[in-house]
Amino acid sequence: MSEERTEINSLGEFGLIELLTKNIEIQQASTILGVGDDAAVIDHFGRQTVISTDMLVEGIHFDLMYTPLKHLGYKSVVVNLSDIYAMNATPTQITMSIAFSNRFSVDALNEFYEGVYAACEKYGVDLIGGDTTSSQKGFVISVTAIGEVAPDKFVKRSTAEKGDLLCVSGDLGAAYLGLTLLEREKQIYLESPQLQPDLENQTYIIGRQLKPEARRDIIEFLQEQDIQPTAMMDVSDGLSSEILHICKQSNLGVVLYEEKIPIANETKEMALKFSLDPTAAALSGGEDYELLFTMKQADYDKIVLSEQISVIGYMTDISEGAHILTKGGNKFKLVAQGWNAFQQ
Amino acid sequence: MSEERTEINSLGEFGLIELLTKNIEIQQASTILGVGDDAAVIDHFGRQTVISTDMLVEGIHFDLMYTPLKHLGYKSVVVNLSDIYAMNATPTQITMSIAFSNRFSVDALNEFYEGVYAACEKYGVDLIGGDTTSSQKGFVISVTAIGEVAPDKFVKRSTAEKGDLLCVSGDLGAAYLGLTLLEREKQIYLESPQLQPDLENQTYIIGRQLKPEARRDIIEFLQEQDIQPTAMMDVSDGLSSEILHICKQSNLGVVLYEEKIPIANETKEMALKFSLDPTAAALSGGEDYELLFTMKQADYDKIVLSEQISVIGYMTDISEGAHILTKGGNKFKLVAQGWNAFQQ
C-alpha cells in the first residue's frame, strides 16, 4: 500500500468534488438532480424545489479590510440567489449560518444582517433559518438558497446542443478590476497608513466587486420572450472556466468571439491603468454573477434588441474543441485560465 | 449616540439570534414557519418541506485530537437529521459545505465523506449539493437538511398545552460523560504522551459522544401508534434548556420529576467516577440528540409499554413556573444550567 499523502491542491476544487462525490447513490425518488450543477432539484408534487449552497470564508473569499459588513451580508445572499436563477428558477427562501470570533461586536453582526435583509427584500426571499456560532478565528458564512421552478423548466449545464448560440448577460471583468483596485489601495494603506485611499471614483467596478446583483431580470426577460435556454449557469469563476463546464457537461465544443465579449468602458480603462488585458479579466476574473446560457438559433430574433444579452459564440461538435477567435484573427484553445492562452 | 460596544457574550446565543432576526418579515406565501424552531417549513403544493441547518467549527464543536474524521462526518449529518425528525418529518436530502486548511489531505477528506455517506445510507437521505473551500485555519462544516411532512403534521415547540405529558426518548447525559472521559484522556496524553489512553471500555458513553444517532425509530413509533405530539424538539443543549424552550414558546410552566429522567447505568457509573451528579449531566450535558415531546394524557396507554419513551413530567399553567421535583422531595426552579439549581 502506498503511504504517500495526496495533496488537495494536486486535484483542484473540481477534481476534489468529483473524487468526493463519485460514489453517491441517489435513494430518494424526489431527488431529480444532485451534485454537479449550480443547484440541486427536488420534486415536490408537481413543482420542483431548487437548492444551492455556498460557503464564504474570511481571508479566502473576502477581506474585511475593504469589505463593509453590510455589503458582505448582501453579497453572501446574492451569490446564492444567482445560482438559483442560473437554474431558470425563482429563489424563495434562504438559510444563513455564520461563525465568528469574539473580535466581532453585536453591532458588527447587525450591520452584516442589515445587508442580508436588504438582499432578501430586494429579491423577495425569506430568511427562514440558520445557525450562529463561534469560531476560533475569522468569519465564516454558509448560505443555502431554496427556489422553485415549474416542472421541466429547470435548466442544467449538460443540455446544450450543437449549433446553439452562446449568450451572456451584462458585462464581464468589472468585479475583478474592482478587486484589483481595492487590493492596490490595501497595499498602499499597509505601507503608508497616513495616505487617503484613492479609489478614483471607480464606483462601477468597485460596486461590481462589493455589491453584485443576481440577474433576476434576465430570467424574467427569457420567460416573457418564451425562451427556454438549452443550458445555463452563472459566471462566478470567470467566463472561460464556465464555458468549459458547459462544453464538458454537454459533450460539445465551442467557438467564442473575443470581440463579442461584453466589457464595460470603466473596466477597459482600469485594465489599461493596470496593464491588464480586459479580455483576460473577462475570461478569468470571476465574480461577475452574470448568466451564461445557450439557446436555439431560432430564438435569436427574440433577444437581438436586448442591450443586456450578448451572443458571444456558438456550440460545435466536441471534435472541434473549444476555441476563442481573437480580434487579431488568431484562434486559440480556450483554457480555464484564459490569459495563459494569450501569453503563449 | 452611545459609542459603547455591545459584546456578543452579553446576549448569549439565543439573545443574539432574537436580536438579529426580530425584524424579519415573511414575503413568500410558501413560508409556513421561519426562524425559531428546529427547522423551517415551506409549503410545496400539498406537502411541506422542512429545512434545518447547522454549522460545526473545529475547536468549538469538535476536537480532532479524539474525533475520528469518519465519525465527524457521520455526526455532522445526524445532528441535522435529528432536527428534521424533531419536526415530526422525514429527512430526504442534505447539502454539505466544508472549509478546511491545507493541513488536511485528500485521504482525510475521503474519510470524512465516508462517514457522511454512511449516515446518508443509514437514514435514506441523498447528498444533493454543497461547497468545498479553503480556510485559513481549522475545519468548518455546514449542513442543511431537507425533509418532508404531510400537511399539518409538523410539530412546533410552541403548541404544548396545559396538562400535556412531557416525554423524552432513550437516555440522557451519556454524551456529556463520553466527552468528559475523552477530554480527560486528552489532558493525560498532552502531559504524558507515552501513556496509552485508558477509555475503560466505555464504548457506550464514548459512542454516544462520537457517533450519535437520530431517533427515526421514535418518529416511526409515534406514527404507528397514531400519536401526534403537541410539541417537540431534539435534545442538543441539555434537557433543562430544551424544556424551558418549550415552556417559553408554549407559554406554559412544567413539573419535571428527577426520578423519571432516564439515565443509563454506564452514565451513572462514570458520573460517580468523575464526582458528577448524573442528573446534572442529563439536565445540562447536551448532545444527546434524543427527542423531547409533549402529548395528550389520553395517549399515555399507547406509549406505556415502550422502553424507549419515558414520561418525565407534565405541563402546567405558566403561573406555576418551571420546576424540578428531586428524589429527595425538594422542589427547585428549573434553570437552563441545570446543576446550578442543585448547588444553591
Side-chain angles (χ1 to χ4, degrees):
Chain A
M1 262 181 67
S2 164
E3 291 292 322
E4 259 178 67
R5 173 184 152 118
T6 314
E7 292 298 334
I8 284 161
N9 52 21
S10 70
L11 291 169
E13 186 189 347
F14 300 112
L16 179 63
I17 292 172
E18 221 168 278
L19 181 80
L20 296 175
T21 59
K22 67 176 190 287
N23 294 322
I24 291 182
E25 279 174 36
I26 297 298
Q27 304 181 72
Q28 290 282 342
S30 62
T31 303
I32 309 271
L33 180 68
V35 170
D37 221 295
D38 292 281
V41 180
I42 303 172
D43 181 64
H44 278 111
F45 307 89
R47 275 183 92 83
Q48 282 158 359
T49 300
V50 180
I51 309 261
S52 173
T53 192
D54 256 320
M55 189 176 260
L56 303 171
V57 181
E58 183 181 353
I60 308 289
H61 301 94
F62 57 89
D63 187 330
L64 288 177
M65 202 162 157
Y66 51 71
T67 310
L69 281 163
K70 190 173 171 180
H71 288 56
L72 182 62
Y74 193 90
K75 183 171 176 176
S76 308
V77 176
V78 164
V79 302
N80 273 277
L81 301 186
S82 179
D83 279 324
I84 301 292
Y85 290 120
M87 300 300 290
N88 203 31
T90 303
T92 48
Q93 286 94 3
I94 61 161
T95 66
M96 162 75 65
S97 295
I98 55 173
F100 46 86
S101 69
N102 57 11
R103 82 173 204 271
F104 291 91
S105 69
V106 171
D107 308 306
L109 293 182
N110 256 328
E111 216 188 301
F112 175 82
Y113 270 88
E114 268 178 43
V116 170
Y117 291 129
C120 286
E121 201 182 326
K122 168 141 189 182
Y123 291 93
V125 303
D126 294 334
L127 175 68
I128 56 161
D131 198 6
T132 56
T133 183
S134 311
S135 77
Q136 290 187 306
K137 191 182 172 224
F139 193 36
V140 182
I141 303 158
S142 176
V143 181
T144 299
I146 299 140
E148 56 180 38
V149 62
D152 305 324
K153 280 285 180 188
F154 70 84
V155 178
K156 300 192 285 185
R157 300 174 179 179
S158 58
T159 41
E161 289 183 19
K162 187 177 158 181
D164 286 352
L165 299 176
L166 181 68
C167 308
V168 73
S169 65
D171 62 81
L172 301 171
Y176 176 73
L177 267 303
L179 180 65
T180 306
L181 181 57
L182 289 164
E183 283 285 344
R184 181 192 73 180
E185 289 311 306
K186 177 184 168 182
Q187 289 312 319
I188 290 172
Y189 175 82
L190 290 174
E191 285 157 26
S192 317
Q194 76 288 356
L195 288 181
Q196 287 298 307
D198 177 14
L199 297 177
E200 306 184 27
N201 288 320
Q202 289 294 338
T203 51
Y204 181 68
I205 64 169
I206 288 172
R208 291 282 286 173
Q209 170 58 225
L210 294 182
K211 191 170 173 286
E213 301 290 352
R215 298 308 305 256
R216 171 169 60 176
D217 58 329
I218 298 294
I219 297 304
E220 289 171 353
F221 175 81
L222 293 174
Q223 268 159 19
E224 281 159 24
Q225 298 295 323
D226 201 25
I227 298 172
Q228 172 81 357
T230 53
M232 185 155 56
M233 65 185 300
D234 72 337
V235 182
S236 53
D237 290 337
L239 181 64
S240 58
S241 156
E242 316 302 25
I243 291 176
L244 290 171
H245 277 300
I246 288 182
C247 287
K248 189 181 172 193
Q249 292 186 236
S250 296
N251 211 24
L252 292 174
V254 74
V255 173
L256 170 67
Y257 295 96
E258 182 188 9
E259 64 180 344
K260 300 290 187 188
I261 298 172
I263 300 175
N265 285 333
E266 293 91 332
T267 308
K268 288 179 188 165
E269 285 161 19
M270 192 49 63
L272 202 65
K273 285 191 190 170
F274 281 110
S275 305
L276 293 169
D277 179 343
T279 301
L283 287 176
S284 307
E287 297 206 90
D288 292 313
Y289 301 106
E290 295 294 346
L291 291 172
L292 175 71
F293 60 95
T294 55
M295 63 172 201
K296 295 278 145 235
Q297 290 186 25
D299 286 327
Y300 178 73
D301 288 345
K302 298 178 184 171
I303 62 148
V304 69
L305 289 178
S306 166
E307 289 179 3
Q308 289 297 319
I309 297 176
S310 306
V311 178
I312 57 174
Y314 63 93
M315 308 309 291
T316 67
D317 194 84
I318 191 169
S319 63
E320 296 181 47
H323 292 95
I324 179 168
L325 292 183
T326 68
K327 292 172 189 166
N330 290 311
K331 186 175 176 182
F332 289 105
K333 194 164 179 246
L334 196 64
V335 293
Q337 294 298 319
W339 55 65
N340 293 340
F342 291 94
Q343 285 162 355
Q344 278 158 15
Chain B
M1 263 182 65
S2 162
E3 289 292 323
E4 260 178 66
R5 172 185 154 118
T6 314
E7 291 298 333
I8 284 160
N9 51 20
S10 70
L11 292 170
E13 186 188 348
F14 300 112
L16 179 64
I17 292 173
E18 223 167 276
L19 181 81
L20 296 175
T21 59
K22 66 176 190 285
N23 293 323
I24 291 183
E25 278 174 38
I26 296 298
Q27 305 181 70
Q28 290 283 340
S30 63
T31 303
I32 309 271
L33 181 69
V35 170
D37 221 295
D38 293 280
V41 180
I42 303 172
D43 180 65
H44 278 112
F45 306 89
R47 274 183 91 82
Q48 284 157 358
T49 300
V50 180
I51 310 261
S52 172
T53 192
D54 256 319
M55 190 175 260
L56 302 172
V57 181
E58 184 181 352
I60 308 289
H61 301 94
F62 57 88
D63 187 330
L64 288 176
M65 201 163 157
Y66 52 69
T67 309
L69 281 163
K70 191 173 170 181
H71 288 55
L72 181 63
Y74 193 89
K75 183 171 176 175
S76 309
V77 176
V78 164
V79 302
N80 274 277
L81 302 186
S82 179
D83 279 324
I84 301 291
Y85 289 121
M87 300 299 290
N88 203 30
T90 303
T92 47
Q93 285 94 5
I94 61 163
T95 66
M96 161 76 64
S97 294
I98 56 174
F100 46 86
S101 70
N102 58 13
R103 81 174 205 271
F104 291 91
S105 68
V106 171
D107 308 304
L109 292 182
N110 255 328
E111 216 187 303
F112 175 82
Y113 270 87
E114 268 179 43
V116 170
Y117 291 128
C120 286
E121 202 182 327
K122 169 142 188 183
Y123 291 94
V125 303
D126 293 334
L127 175 68
I128 57 162
D131 198 8
T132 56
T133 182
S134 309
S135 79
Q136 289 187 306
K137 190 181 171 227
F139 193 36
V140 182
I141 305 159
S142 176
V143 180
T144 298
I146 299 138
E148 56 179 38
V149 62
D152 304 323
K153 279 287 178 187
F154 69 84
V155 178
K156 300 192 284 186
R157 299 174 180 180
S158 58
T159 41
E161 290 183 17
K162 186 178 156 181
D164 285 352
L165 299 176
L166 181 67
C167 307
V168 72
S169 66
D171 61 83
L172 302 171
Y176 176 72
L177 268 302
L179 179 65
T180 306
L181 182 59
L182 289 164
E183 283 286 344
R184 181 192 73 182
E185 289 310 306
K186 177 184 168 183
Q187 290 312 318
I188 292 173
Y189 174 82
L190 290 174
E191 286 157 25
S192 316
Q194 76 287 356
L195 287 181
Q196 287 298 306
D198 178 13
L199 297 177
E200 307 186 28
N201 289 320
Q202 290 294 340
T203 50
Y204 181 68
I205 63 170
I206 288 171
R208 290 282 284 175
Q209 170 58 226
L210 294 182
K211 190 170 174 285
E213 300 290 351
R215 298 308 305 254
R216 170 168 62 175
D217 58 331
I218 298 293
I219 297 303
E220 289 171 352
F221 175 81
L222 294 174
Q223 268 158 18
E224 283 159 23
Q225 298 295 323
D226 201 24
I227 297 172
Q228 172 81 357
T230 53
M232 184 154 58
M233 64 185 300
D234 72 337
V235 182
S236 52
D237 290 338
L239 181 64
S240 57
S241 155
E242 315 302 24
I243 291 176
L244 291 171
H245 277 300
I246 288 182
C247 286
K248 186 181 174 194
Q249 292 187 236
S250 296
N251 211 24
L252 292 175
V254 74
V255 174
L256 171 67
Y257 295 96
E258 182 188 9
E259 64 179 343
K260 301 291 188 189
I261 299 172
I263 300 175
N265 286 332
E266 292 91 332
T267 307
K268 289 179 185 165
E269 285 161 19
M270 193 49 62
L272 201 66
K273 286 191 190 171
F274 281 110
S275 305
L276 293 169
D277 179 343
T279 300
L283 286 175
S284 306
E287 297 207 89
D288 292 312
Y289 301 107
E290 295 294 345
L291 291 172
L292 175 71
F293 61 95
T294 55
M295 62 172 201
K296 296 278 145 233
Q297 289 186 26
D299 285 328
Y300 178 73
D301 288 346
K302 297 178 184 170
I303 62 147
V304 68
L305 289 178
S306 165
E307 290 179 2
Q308 289 297 319
I309 296 176
S310 304
V311 178
I312 57 175
Y314 62 93
M315 307 310 290
T316 67
D317 193 83
I318 190 169
S319 63
E320 298 181 45
H323 293 95
I324 179 168
L325 291 182
T326 68
K327 292 172 190 166
N330 291 309
K331 187 176 176 182
F332 288 107
K333 194 164 180 251
L334 196 64
V335 293
Q337 294 298 317
W339 55 66
N340 293 340
F342 291 94
Q343 285 163 356
Q344 278 159 14

